[in-house]
């Protein structure tokens, strides 16, 4: 059974809602044959990446960069997964109070180094909180899981 790993930083009630919506989408009742694992970045590590078939990343924009927790995840996982997980399908959502550009560039640089494959452009949720963010992240989680189940990813 294909495995989707969701690694998302959720330091606030709204970002926790985003992580939960990603999981809800990935566990949609119509998607029956995908195993979903959800972890905060400080609890996820290389063994989780080595055991997955696709990864969905979520981060806040912190001082124009990814969260320290997601950076820590990459620091601990980069070299242990570098050779074995080339081509890993990945997606990203960013909760950005401003524009998210620096955050996106930073994550894209690491993903490029890992040679992972983007399944879509990073989703940047900009500005003041909007309820629509929850639906957008849920759709992203559902698309990732459906893509795994159908063999597209």
């Amino acid at each position: 059974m294909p495995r989707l790993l969701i690694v998302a930083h959720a330091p606030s009630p709204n970002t926790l809602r985003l992580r939960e919506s990603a999981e809800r989408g990935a566990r949609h009742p119509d998607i029956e044959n995908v195993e979903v694992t959800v972890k905060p970045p400080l609890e996820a590590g290389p063994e989780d990446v080595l055991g997955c078939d696709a990864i969905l990343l979520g981060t806040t924009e912190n001082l124009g960069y990814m969260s320290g927790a997601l950076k820590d995840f990459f620091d601990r996982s980069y070299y242990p997964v570098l050779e074995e997980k080339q081509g890993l399908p990945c997606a990203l959502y960013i909760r950005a109070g401003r524009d998210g550009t620096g955050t996106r560039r930073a994550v894209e640089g690491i993903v490029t180094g890992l040679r992972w494959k983007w399944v879509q452009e990073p989703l940047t949720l900009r500005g003041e909180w909007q309820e629509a963010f929850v639906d957008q992240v849920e759709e992203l989680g559902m698309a990732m899981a459906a893509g795994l189940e159908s063999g597209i990813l």
Side-chain angles (χ1 to χ4, degrees):
M1 183 179 301
R3 291 170 291 208
L4 173 62
L5 175 63
I6 299 173
V7 178
H9 186 55
S12 70
N14 282 340
T15 53
L16 179 58
R17 287 179 65 201
L18 294 177
R19 185 169 69 201
E20 290 169 347
S21 69
E23 180 177 10
R24 188 171 47 255
R27 295 185 189 277
H28 189 279
D30 291 342
I31 302 169
E32 299 175 348
N33 296 312
V34 174
E35 182 181 322
V36 179
T37 302
V38 181
K39 291 194 172 185
L42 295 175
E43 294 177 19
E47 64 283 350
D48 298 300
V49 178
L50 291 169
C52 78
D53 298 295
I55 188 168
L56 173 54
L57 304 164
T59 187
T60 51
E61 174 187 55
N62 291 21
L63 304 171
Y65 197 71
M66 75 183 87
S67 70
L70 188 63
K71 177 65 167 69
D72 175 77
F73 164 75
F74 280 130
D75 286 345
R76 289 180 291 105
S77 302
Y78 190 92
Y79 289 107
V81 307
L82 180 60
E83 295 303 319
E84 285 188 54
K85 297 310 282 190
Q86 292 181 21
L88 182 70
C90 72
L92 168 70
Y93 69 85
I94 301 164
R95 174 62 192 113
R98 293 195 167 268
D99 70 357
T101 303
T103 305
R104 178 178 170 162
R105 267 197 309 259
V107 175
E108 285 177 332
I110 293 169
V111 165
T112 297
L114 287 165
R115 297 181 200 105
W116 291 355
K117 179 183 72 179
W118 291 106
V119 300
Q120 71 168 51
E121 291 288 316
L123 173 62
T124 305
L125 310 163
R126 292 182 178 88
E128 294 296 317
W129 175 261
Q130 299 172 38
E131 284 301 313
F133 293 164
V134 173
D135 293 336
Q136 290 175 295
V137 173
E138 185 173 342
E139 288 173 14
L140 179 57
M142 188 171 18
M144 291 286 293
L148 272 177
E149 184 177 57
S150 68
I152 294 171
L153 302 181

